[in-house]
Amino acid sequence: MAYQVKEISTKPFDGQKPGTSGLRKRVKVFQQEHYTENFIQAIFDSIKADGATLVIGGDGRYFSPETVQTILKIGSANGVKKLIIGKDSILSTPAASNVIRKYKADGGILLTASHNPGGPDNDFGIKYNVSNGGPAPENVTNKIYEITKTIQKYKVIEADPIDLSVIGNTRYGPTEVQIIDSVADYVELLQGIFDFQLIKDFLQNNAGSFRILFDGLHGVTGPYARAILVDTLGLPEASIQNCVALPDFGGGHPDPNLTYAHSLVEVVEAKNIQFGAASDGDGDRNMIYGKGAFVTPSDSVAIIADWAHVIPYFKKGGVKGLARSMPTSKAIDLVAQKKGLEYFEVPTGWKFFGNLMDAGRLSICGEESFGTGSDHIREKDGIWAIMAWLNIIAAANKESPNELIGIKELLKKHYAVYGRSFFSRYDYEEVSSEGANKLVALLDGAITSSSLANKTYKSKGTNQDFTIASVTNFSYTDPIDGSVSKNQGQVVLFDDGSRVVFRLSGTGSAGATVRLYVERYVGPEAGEKVLAGDTAEGLKGLIEVALEISNLKEFLGRDKPTVIT
């Protein structure tokens, strides 16, 4: 049967440049006539769409179902052979990566703005992933962007909308459409990675003394958490909260940090819960938090790497290498050094990890922005990290049957061996782009002139002296493909090994975001009391100096950050 392909005239829109995590704008921008259609057509023009199999899913945020129907219209007109779509347009980012790999699809389109708020007045996003299940590399996103600047038409086939709530096979015009269970493949994946029986036995044997609470923040991971924690591990319904995925995330900000995941923190503290965890809007981030015990993402990935030998996936395949994003603390480097493993420092963006994984040189990696993962897929994975922690805790308790080992105890043991990287991140969101650029220009000027080299600053609050060893702009040459990524963040290194990193972030949809990362290492010889100290106190002097060096308050017009993690 022949289907009529219509060509719709259009014109380019400015600013359709995908970042490391796709194109993110306000919903109202995507709702402009032709805007979403232009970008989707640009994706199909940049890949070999004819005969392709693609995966479609997302975090279920506002404007997702309509956009899936748009993809069906344009995809079928461009010769896409098959579309595999998550039920109700839902697939977490990690689940989508798995489905792309499992079904050997050519790529996937993910409808997500990750941890950004959702709803009619908030954010939407479209992201393309390639056949390895990971985010599209720059050569692909640049090609998409170039097409958006000259696009004059897009193609559609008009047919009846597909009912996304019905699992099974159907067609849209000439294109095969398979609606799949959003959760089943992912649960099966994790059951092949972790020791579910060990975890289940530990939780059942310690039901009174070790309670769990997972907070889905009304993001996409709610159904996944229910399937794993309640249906598979047999935990009570009270072990999960905010696990109904909503298009506006319940009016909240689905970002698992101490500021926006307060719904988790408050209940964990009030009810003395030993293990709390949260994930974000699209399921690729995580936070681990127990009663009086917050785990920084930098420490989290280091501890997972240190205990990888108790996780069946790594028992079987070994650990090939470790990596972190540049702003992330160097805690994982210390684990790699002790275990004799190769390790890497890469720019922010999961695609850099993916190259190393595909080359067989990386197993476990993480970002300070609450992203942790491994080579089981090519995206960071919030639920994976939470299950890794539960597997580690269950194994640690099997080794120490007379002492209940929880989050605090694992942190204490880790610091006693490796020391501690006191680490914090200050986010200044939606600040003036002009002020942010002035801050960057000041630091770039210091790099060019070496004007800050060997200069000593004294903290007024702590009376500590900090002498600058170097100021650099981080660049990275990919050891796999030789590509070079420049201007990845200004790094101020002090002679005691402490460092401060400044980055201008482009993942928001309004204004600029400046991120300040502060790290100070204390060795294990400092003793338990110092190692267990308060992060804010441990970093107070260094933060004062960082603000002084950068003139940050003056340039940004902010006395306090929007978020501290």
Side-chain angles (χ1 to χ4, degrees):
M1 180 178 176
Y3 296 91
Q4 184 182 1
V5 175
K6 295 181 181 178
E7 292 189 350
I8 310 295
S9 296
T10 187
K11 59 183 180 181
F13 289 86
D14 289 336
Q16 287 194 325
K17 181 175 175 61
T20 55
S21 300
L23 180 68
R24 294 181 187 174
K25 303 286 183 183
R26 295 292 195 209
V27 167
K28 286 180 169 56
V29 173
F30 278 99
Q31 287 176 325
Q32 296 175 91
E33 187 179 19
H34 306 312
Y35 187 93
T36 298
E37 289 85 349
N38 278 18
F39 190 72
I40 291 168
Q41 182 65 58
I43 291 174
F44 288 127
D45 283 346
S46 70
I47 64 173
K48 188 175 180 293
D50 191 35
T53 295
L54 298 174
V55 173
I56 310 296
D59 56 21
R61 68 179 53 232
Y62 188 88
F63 199 55
S64 294
E66 302 95 314
T67 305
V68 173
Q69 301 295 341
T70 300
I71 293 169
L72 284 162
K73 291 179 182 180
I74 298 176
S76 62
N78 281 272
V80 172
K81 179 183 177 183
K82 184 176 183 179
L83 290 171
I84 302 170
I85 305 175
K87 181 178 179 289
D88 297 319
S89 74
I90 293 280
L91 272 177
S92 74
T93 293
S97 181
N98 175 52
V99 170
I100 291 169
R101 294 168 66 82
K102 180 176 180 177
Y103 294 98
K104 295 181 169 54
D106 297 292
I109 300 176
L110 280 60
L111 308 179
T112 175
S114 189
H115 56 289
N116 292 6
D121 297 317
N122 285 306
D123 290 359
F124 188 71
I126 302 176
K127 170 184 175 183
Y128 184 69
N129 279 29
V130 291
S131 59
N132 74 346
E138 280 185 33
N139 65 320
V140 175
T141 57
N142 286 341
K143 192 173 181 182
I144 293 170
Y145 179 48
E146 289 304 313
I147 292 168
T148 69
K149 293 193 289 187
T150 58
I151 190 168
Q152 298 298 318
K153 64 186 178 183
Y154 59 88
K155 297 186 285 188
V156 298
I157 287 177
E158 299 285 358
D160 291 335
I162 296 287
D163 186 346
L164 302 176
S165 68
V166 180
I167 292 174
N169 297 307
T170 184
R171 300 191 75 85
Y172 187 96
T175 302
E176 298 174 50
V177 177
Q178 183 182 3
I179 309 295
I180 63 170
D181 185 305
S182 305
V183 175
D185 288 314
Y186 181 77
V187 174
E188 180 184 295
L189 172 72
L190 292 198
Q191 286 176 319
I193 293 173
F194 299 110
D195 191 336
F196 270 61
Q197 192 58 54
L198 178 70
I199 297 168
K200 188 172 186 177
D201 289 346
F202 166 71
L203 294 175
Q204 288 181 345
N205 293 337
N206 295 275
S209 56
F210 194 90
R211 290 180 298 152
I212 286 179
L213 180 63
F214 173 84
D215 193 329
L217 301 178
H218 289 301
V220 75
T221 52
Y224 297 87
R226 178 182 297 280
I228 293 168
L229 298 177
V230 178
D231 298 343
T232 306
L233 294 177
L235 291 174
E237 189 74 21
S239 298
I240 60 174
Q241 68 178 21
N242 300 324
C243 279
V244 175
L246 298 174
D248 66 349
F249 307 116
H253 192 148
D255 195 356
N257 58 47
L258 294 174
T259 299
Y260 296 126
H262 57 85
S263 55
L264 172 74
V265 174
E266 288 165 5
V267 178
V268 165
E269 292 295 341
K271 296 188 176 181
N272 195 31
I273 291 170
Q274 287 70 35
F275 185 92
S279 189
D280 70 329
D282 70 326
D284 63 356
R285 300 185 181 206
N286 74 95
M287 180 175 78
I288 307 296
Y289 185 93
K291 172 74 173 178
F294 167 62
V295 185
T296 69
S298 301
D299 284 346
S300 180
V301 69
I303 288 171
I304 292 171
D306 192 37
W307 283 84
H309 59 279
V310 305
I311 296 172
Y313 180 84
F314 299 114
K315 278 184 187 177
K316 181 180 178 181
V319 176
K320 304 176 186 75
L322 306 176
R324 60 174 174 83
S325 64
M326 180 273 287
T328 304
S329 94
K330 297 180 180 181
I332 196 171
D333 300 10
L334 299 173
V335 176
Q337 290 163 10
K338 184 176 177 63
K339 293 182 178 293
L341 295 169
E342 188 176 26
Y343 61 99
F344 303 88
E345 179 184 46
V346 307
T348 298
W350 210 257
K351 60 191 174 187
F352 297 104
F353 295 132
N355 264 8
L356 294 165
M357 290 174 182
D358 286 346
R361 293 175 67 179
L362 175 61
S363 294
I364 299 171
C365 53
E367 297 178 334
E368 49 65 42
S369 52
F370 295 87
T372 321
S374 86
D375 59 353
H376 66 293
I377 55 172
R378 295 298 182 268
E379 290 276 8
K380 47 186 176 271
D381 190 344
I383 298 287
W384 175 90
I386 293 163
M387 291 304 298
W389 267 85
L390 289 177
N391 197 146
I392 289 165
I393 287 173
N397 279 277
K398 189 175 181 180
E399 291 178 10
S400 302
N402 298 319
E403 176 193 7
L404 183 62
I405 306 292
I407 293 172
K408 270 188 177 179
E409 290 74 22
L410 278 176
L411 287 171
K412 180 179 171 183
K413 288 174 182 288
H414 190 82
Y415 297 156
V417 174
Y418 293 101
R420 179 180 177 187
S421 291
F422 285 87
F423 182 87
S424 189
R425 182 179 105 186
Y426 280 26
D427 289 6
Y428 297 83
E429 297 177 351
E430 296 189 3
V431 298
S432 155
S433 294
E434 182 183 359
N437 288 326
K438 284 182 179 178
L439 186 153
V440 170
L442 174 76
L443 294 169
D444 282 343
I447 293 168
T448 303
S449 66
S450 300
S451 60
L452 292 177
N454 301 314
K455 196 168 181 179
T456 299
Y457 288 82
K458 183 180 287 290
S459 161
K460 294 175 183 176
T462 65
N463 213 34
Q464 292 169 289
D465 287 333
F466 293 92
T467 300
I468 295 176
S470 64
V471 184
T472 56
N473 199 326
F474 181 67
S475 66
Y476 175 72
T477 301
D478 193 301
I480 309 307
D481 62 20
S483 62
V484 178
S485 300
K486 296 181 178 180
N487 302 316
Q488 295 298 308
Q490 290 89 354
V491 183
V492 181
L493 182 67
F494 297 88
D495 63 1
D496 67 348
S498 299
R499 66 177 187 146
V500 175
V501 177
F502 297 86
R503 285 192 72 246
L504 194 58
S505 173
T507 56
S509 63
T513 295
V514 172
R515 305 194 197 281
L516 164 65
Y517 310 84
V518 188
E519 177 182 4
R520 176 172 165 257
Y521 175 72
V522 177
E525 68 280 356
E528 184 180 329
K529 185 177 179 181
V530 173
L531 292 169
D534 178 70
T535 299
E537 282 299 313
L539 293 174
K540 183 178 179 182
L542 187 55
I543 290 170
E544 283 182 11
V545 168
L547 295 175
E548 181 182 352
I549 291 169
S550 62
N551 288 339
L552 185 146
K553 290 183 178 180
E554 178 186 333
F555 285 138
L556 302 187
R558 298 280 182 89
D559 286 330
K560 294 180 179 179
T562 315
V563 180
I564 298 176
T565 49

